[in-house]
Amino acid sequence: GSVRCVQETDKLLKTIISSLENLIKAIEGLIVMSVELEEVFNKVFDNQVPMLWQKVAYPSLKPLGSWINNFVHRLEFLQKWIDHGAPPTFWLPGFFFTQSFLTGTLQNYARKYKIPIDTLVFDYQVIPNDQQEIDLTRPPSDGCYIYGLYLDGAKWNDNEMVLDEPEPKKLNYEVPHIWLIPIEQSEVDKNKHVYECPVYKTARRAGTLSTTGHSTNYVLSINLPMANQHDQAHWIKRGVAMLTQLSD
């Protein structure tokens, strides 16, 4: 998954560089300004992501300025991984193919304990920001720590360790680290008081099925603990979801 992620990121980087180099040549009159290059020029002028880049990029609703910042963040995340090996915690928004990374985590567990992968699912533990018990500077013995998600339509209450009502006029909240723990389906506690919170790549929340059979936007659902007075319907009505990136 990570190799493919690097390849796709490299392809996007090369597309951006070559189109901008050609655009400069076209502006200087050294080559013909094609329809494609004109579109790049117009979009960059309007602070939007050119279609030429979007075609080889990941889903995003960001304007060009923040899109570039986000892309640079992704490059740094991957470069660190290449230079220093796998990090102890993973920035989930940094993956081109988030599903491949998640499947890889389950595969590692399946190999380690010689369990068929199709019997495995994730259990989830939110790690509060001010806790001391879990050392996030080293990877867990099983599963992985992820970060970088945003709650949309609710906030996380670190004291009560449950989903909570958002403050007026504030839509999005950063989510603390989450521990994805592989377990066998038969071990899932069906009585846990949790909201099955869908995770999407963008706020559009709609996607198409890609060639791999995965949605281009939906990533997975993460179970988040709820307060006793709330049920699933309470948060479903509010359309609560998590996003890997905001639209601004």
Side-chain angles (χ1 to χ4, degrees):
S2 53
V3 174
R4 199 161 152 232
C5 191
V6 171
Q7 288 167 340
E8 293 297 319
T9 306
D10 189 50
K11 186 167 142 194
L12 173 56
L13 185 60
K14 285 184 171 137
T15 305
I16 294 170
I17 292 169
S18 69
S19 63
L20 291 176
E21 284 174 348
N22 285 334
L23 182 59
I24 291 165
K25 284 179 191 164
I27 291 167
E28 289 172 350
L30 300 172
I31 59 171
V32 176
M33 176 78 81
S34 65
V35 176
E36 214 170 43
L37 286 176
E38 196 169 348
E39 195 265 347
V40 173
F41 178 82
N42 291 333
K43 283 284 170 85
V44 169
F45 187 79
D46 293 336
N47 193 26
Q48 291 176 329
V49 182
M51 269 318 293
L52 186 63
W53 304 358
Q54 278 185 42
K55 274 185 213 155
V56 290
Y58 35 83
S60 180
L61 304 176
K62 289 180 178 293
L64 183 61
S66 5
W67 187 89
I68 292 285
N69 289 340
N70 179 268
F71 183 50
V72 169
H73 194 169
R74 285 165 182 260
L75 292 173
E76 288 167 350
F77 169 66
L78 289 172
Q79 192 61 54
K80 258 192 196 155
W81 192 340
I82 292 163
D83 295 343
H84 306 291
T89 62
F90 292 93
W91 182 51
L92 200 67
F95 289 96
F96 232 102
F97 304 103
T98 323
Q99 274 97 353
S100 304
F101 166 70
L102 298 169
T103 307
T105 304
L106 290 177
Q107 268 167 346
N108 291 343
Y109 186 88
R111 278 194 208 108
K112 182 175 169 183
Y113 295 102
K114 302 184 173 47
I115 301 169
I117 187 168
D118 54 6
T119 64
L120 293 175
V121 290
F122 282 118
D123 195 12
Y124 307 96
Q125 184 183 333
V126 180
I127 302 169
N129 287 317
D130 54 1
Q131 61 84 41
Q132 308 294 323
E133 295 88 70
I134 293 174
D135 179 7
L136 292 171
T137 62
R138 34 186 87 228
S141 51
D142 292 313
C144 63
Y145 302 133
I146 60 160
Y147 67 97
L149 296 176
Y150 297 90
L151 261 169
D152 193 26
K155 71 174 179 188
W156 178 254
N157 183 327
D158 245 358
N159 298 325
E160 306 287 327
M161 293 291 288
V162 290
L163 272 177
D164 206 347
E165 300 295 349
E167 286 147 39
K169 295 187 179 159
K170 187 166 179 196
L171 283 175
N172 303 111
Y173 292 85
E174 282 187 39
V175 181
H177 282 75
I178 299 175
W179 185 2
L180 272 52
I181 311 162
I183 59 166
E184 290 189 67
Q185 271 159 347
S186 56
E187 292 172 18
V188 174
D189 181 356
K190 302 269 194 305
N191 300 318
K192 266 190 182 172
H193 193 58
V194 291
Y195 169 59
E196 205 176 306
C197 186
V199 179
Y200 296 99
K201 290 185 180 174
T202 71
R204 190 173 279 143
R205 298 193 186 196
T208 53
L209 281 181
S210 65
T211 47
T212 57
H214 290 124
S215 163
T216 51
N217 205 353
Y218 172 76
V219 181
L220 80 163
S221 288
I222 291 181
N223 294 334
L224 295 175
M226 299 185 289
N228 291 334
Q229 72 268 29
H230 297 146
D231 57 5
Q232 287 254 21
H234 177 87
W235 299 113
I236 291 168
K237 270 189 215 137
R238 285 158 176 72
V240 172
M242 283 191 279
L243 311 173
T244 67
Q245 53 169 302
L246 302 178
S247 308
D248 50 12

